[in-house]
Amino acid sequence: MSLTLVLFSIFGTLASQAMSRTIDEPSIAYKHEQWMATYGRKYESKSEKEKRFNIFKDNLEYIESFNKAGNRSYKLGINEFADMTHDEFLAAHSGYKMPHNPTTSISTSFRYENFSEVPTNLDWREKGAVTAIKYQGTCGCCWAFSAVAAIEGIIQITTGNLISLSEQQLLDCSTNGNRGCNGGWMMNAFEYVMQNKGITKEETYPYQAIQGTCDMEKAAAQVVDISSYEMVPANDEEALLKAVTNQPVSVAIDGSGLDFQQYKTGVFDGNCGTSLTHAVTIIGYGTNEEGKNYWLIKNSWGESWGENGYMKIQRDVNTPGGLCGIAMKASYPIA
Ligand SMILES: *[C@@H]1O[C@H](CO)[C@@H](O)[C@H](O)[C@H]1NC(C)=O
Ligand SMILES: *[C@@H]1O[C@H](CO)[C@@H](O)[C@H](O)[C@H]1NC(C)=O
């Protein structure tokens, strides 16, 4: 944040305390203009801009009052999604579909069952097993991003090579049981990669944020393969910890809470359900200064969201499924 921005936000806070709401509006308008410039947002009409300004204002007021209450271990903040209502945001940015899929209820063997050398904290980024944050855009294929991040992880761990892999290949070609931009399951994505005998590079089959027909030529340019996948025993954060100690793990979560859209930093310990609507990848874990344990997750909502695209979410909560259902449907590929 530049010095002028810092000064501005201090002034903004003072101003909002001292002046009435009507006088406050120009400063929010100014923030909106700045935000539009930062994210290259343009509106088609005056009325659209006014509509978006009002949403921006509502979001900003919610964020400021939440942060002012200051009684949670996380903070909210303005990001790329600040001019979207929560419903608009959800419609465009989730995409894990739970019901009616036989493969989601299978239980597999769990190779890390007896693993006991669990360190107190771990960050797979530091070990070079995590590619840069990606952005799914307005396509509900979080499932593809989650599966790809888990494959990228295990391939780096077993070969030493970190290769960014193609979500678009999964989006176009992993259609058996998956619904493209309308949702899907990581297990089906792993199955596809096994059947295709591999997956190609991101740069060979780049992301388009829209489903197309499967490009057989690109799909046949596999660079890495997996042999199988396993499910982590459900509702068991201890088992999940053993798995994450060994490799990044795909998980489904309830990302439908308002605070998810606006999450900025800290350990998320907010209200959360267990209707699994979103998919992410756990890439580590740790404990914050207050002694609160957390999972470190890689999301696919770009770098403006959260901690440069990542989130800490409370670990070891007193519900079997974990906070936001994070321990309910975890899976990982096997190289
Ligand atoms: C935090 O404070 C707000 C406003 O005072 C209150 O509504 C909320 O219940 C509090 N949350 C916790 C976890 O204490
Ligand atoms: C874990 O240990 C038990 C008891 O020795 C054994 O029966 C089981 O097969 C082991 N699990 C794995 C995945 O190796």
Side-chain angles (χ1 to χ4, degrees):
M1 194 188 275
S2 74
L3 185 60
T4 39
L5 259 176
V6 173
L7 289 176
F8 175 76
S9 53
I10 291 168
F11 175 75
T13 314
L14 293 176
S16 64
Q17 282 160 3
M19 299 174 202
S20 78
R21 213 178 139 110
T22 42
I23 303 173
D24 204 18
E25 291 227 344
S27 97
I28 298 177
Y30 178 66
K31 284 185 184 174
H32 185 224
E33 293 287 347
Q34 277 191 324
W35 176 88
M36 286 173 64
T38 301
Y39 294 106
R41 190 77 91 252
K42 291 186 172 65
Y43 300 118
E44 279 171 12
S45 64
K46 242 187 149 140
S47 65
E48 176 69 8
K49 184 171 176 182
E50 196 177 312
K51 179 181 157 196
R52 292 294 150 193
F53 168 76
N54 283 318
I55 296 167
F56 180 87
K57 182 159 152 284
D58 286 349
N59 284 334
L60 188 66
E61 282 168 358
Y62 176 73
I63 289 166
E64 287 182 348
S65 77
F66 175 91
N67 289 345
K68 220 162 122 192
N71 54 1
R72 292 283 195 185
S73 60
Y74 65 101
K75 296 276 184 215
L76 305 181
I78 288 290
N79 56 32
E80 183 161 355
F81 314 118
D83 72 342
M84 299 176 89
T85 67
H86 189 52
D87 284 346
E88 288 172 331
F89 177 75
L90 285 185
H93 293 92
S94 42
Y96 179 85
K97 297 282 152 124
M98 251 236 315
H100 319 306
N101 188 305
T103 64
T104 60
S105 55
I106 60 163
S107 79
T108 64
S109 56
F110 178 50
R111 62 186 47 214
Y112 303 126
E113 182 184 0
N114 299 325
F115 188 81
S116 59
E117 291 147 52
V118 176
T120 52
N121 55 49
L122 175 76
D123 185 342
W124 280 112
R125 292 175 297 188
E126 290 167 1
K127 301 183 188 290
V130 183
T131 59
I133 287 290
K134 303 181 186 187
Y135 180 40
Q136 69 185 76
T138 54
C139 165
C141 70
C142 56
W143 57 272
F145 285 84
S146 169
V148 158
I151 298 173
E152 289 168 345
I154 192 59
I155 295 299
Q156 192 278 341
I157 290 164
T158 51
T159 69
N161 299 323
L162 181 64
I163 307 163
S164 184
L165 301 172
S166 173
E167 291 81 14
Q168 192 66 39
Q169 179 177 352
L170 297 183
L171 184 55
D172 293 353
C173 310
S174 176
T175 50
N176 191 6
N178 286 335
R179 301 184 206 144
C181 289
N182 296 315
W185 296 265
M186 287 77 85
M187 292 73 82
N188 289 341
F190 296 144
E191 293 274 359
Y192 162 78
V193 174
M194 287 157 62
Q195 277 158 21
N196 190 58
K197 300 193 171 17
I199 180 168
T200 195
K201 283 188 286 194
E202 183 84 63
E203 61 188 59
T204 301
Y205 204 155
Y207 189 60
Q208 310 292 331
I210 183 169
Q211 189 179 28
T213 51
C214 182
D215 186 323
M216 301 307 272
E217 206 173 307
K218 290 177 181 171
Q222 307 94 332
V223 290
V224 303
D225 195 8
I226 59 171
S227 63
S228 144
Y229 68 92
E230 287 180 349
M231 306 288 299
V232 179
N235 305 330
D236 184 346
E237 284 193 281
E238 202 136 330
L240 189 52
L241 188 67
K242 291 178 186 175
V244 174
T245 301
N246 285 280
Q247 62 182 104
V249 172
S250 288
V251 290
I253 54 170
D254 185 344
S256 64
L258 178 57
D259 290 0
F260 254 78
Q261 180 180 350
Q262 325 280 16
Y263 167 79
K264 190 64 198 170
T265 187
V267 178
F268 179 83
D269 62 350
N271 297 328
C272 210
T274 54
S275 69
L276 305 177
T277 50
H278 189 46
V280 294
T281 312
I282 303 183
I283 54 112
Y285 58 85
T287 304
N288 77 356
E289 308 81 59
E290 283 87 50
K292 196 163 266 189
N293 291 342
Y294 62 81
W295 297 110
L296 188 57
I297 66 167
K298 183 189 192 191
N299 202 350
S300 50
W301 292 346
E303 287 186 357
S304 84
W305 181 86
E307 298 186 345
N308 300 313
Y310 296 89
M311 180 187 217
K312 296 188 184 104
I313 181 165
Q314 193 179 0
R315 174 165 64 93
D316 296 335
V317 295
N318 267 337
T319 38
L323 191 62
C324 308
I326 196 165
M328 292 170 73
K329 294 275 184 229
S331 59
Y332 53 88
I334 293 159

